[in-house]
Amino acid sequence: MATLTDVDIKKLLTESSSVTMRPSYEGGNINTAIGFKCDNYLLEAAVLDHFRAVGLGATELYLVHGVNFDVVGVDTRLHTVLTLDDDVTVEVTPKTKDTDREMVFAVAAIVERDGAPKKAVTSKFRVLLRRDTAIPDPAPLPAELERFVVDRLATAEPAELASAPVDDLHGAFHRGEDASTDPVLAEIIGDDNAIGWKWRIPYYYCHFTERMQMSGYLRQMEEAKHLFVASRGISIKRLLDERGWIPVVTQNKLRFTDEAVMEEDLYSVYTVESVFKDMLYTSRMDFYVVRDGKLVKTATGEITHGYCHKETPDSEWQMAVFDDEVLRALRGE
């Protein structure tokens, strides 16, 4: 077991670090542009590296100190598109105040454009260390870190629910997309400009043998866009084929409000809240489980979408202006 010195703790909590990485090949879904989900993955990897550099990697935290490293909040802005073969320098700067109960990090992904460094993505990450009872007799963490150790990541106040859940998944991990067949989804959505679906959380969206992790929610947020536009007749593939438009995210936020556990039924709801300047629209994402007949919100967030296109393969990206068909679809008209 490594012994952390005062210098290590100072580095972790007060000093910046940087690492150079390339985006995951998984994120190159449309030509070579990287989507928001894998941008966030890149930033998360840099924050993990910030801990690893002082001897507190996720494995050390878990096996030795009996705590799970959990990203519980992200607030990310995308300023320029990252591509598959970019060398990205990710800077992690601690921003935790003396009164904070979460560790806070400003994270910036910097890439070279036109011979000069440019901030491509910036974010604020929030991290907690959750106790894990599976580890017997864990070694204590330094006292400076104890205020960030919790027994539970968050606890939401359950809400009354008039509807009773139904088992309409027809198998262990299938999901339905039509709220008209699920009374709980119908109650959550009401008259909102929204879609929702119920889905059983699989192990590969979780970590530490139990809970859905931040990347799992980001994957659901990405899927919501895909399902929403398809349900309104303007699917991703249609706009790609007909107009060369690719979906682009300018900002996304997500924070935990409770914990979601492997094989619970998760209700994911995507609600369009505003359309502005005929170029961007903002949607809210809310996630729920039903426990003891009551509705529990496990996470909530926002995402701002638009579309980009290129006049030629080697030209600069340009924002597309929504036409009447797209505006009507987004507004549910």
Side-chain angles (χ1 to χ4, degrees):
M1 180 184 70
T3 300
L4 268 70
T5 66
D6 291 342
V7 172
D8 293 327
I9 295 300
K10 182 180 179 182
K11 286 181 179 179
L12 180 69
L13 296 179
T14 66
E15 295 183 9
S16 298
S17 67
S18 67
V19 61
T20 299
M21 297 181 286
R22 286 197 175 110
S24 166
Y25 192 52
E26 177 197 347
N29 307 124
I30 301 173
N31 58 57
T32 64
I34 298 298
F36 84 98
K37 176 189 68 179
C38 286
D39 285 342
N40 279 290
Y41 288 3
L42 193 71
L43 304 187
E44 181 184 60
V47 176
L48 279 162
D49 193 75
H50 183 77
F51 279 74
R52 194 178 295 120
V54 299
L56 285 179
T59 302
E60 180 87 4
L61 285 168
Y62 175 58
L63 292 179
V64 176
H65 299 287
V67 295
N68 307 155
F69 174 98
D70 273 281
V71 176
V72 296
V74 299
D75 185 349
T76 303
R77 293 179 181 271
L78 294 89
H79 308 283
T80 194
V81 176
L82 290 176
T83 61
L84 282 174
D85 292 313
D86 278 332
D87 288 315
V88 186
T89 299
V90 188
E91 297 179 348
V92 178
T93 303
K95 294 291 184 180
T96 308
K97 300 176 183 176
D98 291 342
T99 55
D100 286 340
R101 307 299 293 180
E102 300 168 334
M103 283 180 274
V104 183
F105 299 94
V107 193
I110 300 165
V111 66
E112 185 175 305
R113 292 288 184 264
D114 299 323
K118 181 178 178 64
K119 283 188 179 179
V121 187
T122 55
S123 187
K124 181 176 287 185
F125 267 55
R126 296 182 179 274
V127 173
L128 283 173
L129 305 176
R130 187 191 187 279
R131 289 187 182 90
D132 195 315
T133 57
I135 304 301
D137 302 318
L141 282 163
E144 295 92 333
L145 300 182
E146 282 298 326
R147 63 185 164 121
F148 310 118
V149 179
V150 296
D151 292 318
R152 190 176 181 84
L153 297 175
T155 304
E157 184 68 27
E160 294 296 329
L161 187 63
S163 304
V166 294
D167 186 7
D168 58 352
L169 294 179
H170 309 298
F173 301 108
H174 295 278
R175 60 167 173 76
E177 297 167 12
D178 188 354
S180 67
T181 65
D182 192 294
V184 172
L185 277 172
E187 183 175 341
I188 295 170
I189 292 172
D191 296 327
D192 290 344
N193 181 17
I195 65 162
W197 68 96
K198 182 170 70 175
W199 180 71
R200 194 154 294 163
I201 302 170
Y203 80 91
Y204 46 86
Y205 275 55
C206 300
H207 63 185
F208 298 110
T209 326
E210 185 181 31
R211 297 178 315 283
M212 186 151 164
Q213 59 179 299
M214 177 60 73
S215 66
Y217 284 112
L218 291 170
R219 290 161 77 177
Q220 288 279 281
M221 183 175 268
E222 181 179 54
E223 185 170 8
K225 158 76 174 190
H226 170 79
L227 295 174
F228 175 77
V229 293
S231 74
R232 299 297 173 89
I234 54 168
S235 75
I236 301 292
K237 181 168 174 53
R238 182 192 160 197
L239 293 193
L240 279 168
D241 289 347
E242 295 180 2
R243 311 182 189 193
W245 288 11
I246 73 165
V248 62
V249 172
T250 61
Q251 183 175 6
N252 78 279
K253 301 178 183 179
L254 195 59
R255 64 180 177 87
F256 289 6
T257 53
D258 209 293
E259 297 183 348
V261 178
M262 186 189 301
E263 297 189 12
E264 281 193 299
D265 290 342
L266 187 74
Y267 298 81
S268 302
V269 179
Y270 178 91
T271 307
V272 174
E273 294 198 307
S274 63
V275 180
F276 50 100
K277 295 185 178 179
D278 292 350
M279 296 176 71
L280 294 169
Y281 66 98
T282 298
S283 303
R284 191 180 76 250
M285 282 279 331
D286 296 304
F287 302 90
Y288 305 87
V289 297
V290 176
R291 295 186 185 131
D292 301 322
K294 294 187 177 182
L295 195 65
V296 179
K297 183 181 289 189
T298 62
T300 187
E302 296 177 2
I303 187 165
T304 302
H305 266 112
Y307 291 95
C308 277
H309 67 99
K310 285 188 174 189
E311 296 296 333
T312 63
D314 59 351
S315 63
E316 294 294 320
W317 293 104
Q318 299 179 38
M319 292 295 293
V321 178
F322 303 151
D323 59 16
D324 287 342
E325 180 190 17
V326 171
L327 285 170
R328 288 196 303 271
L330 295 178
R331 292 169 176 157
E333 297 173 354

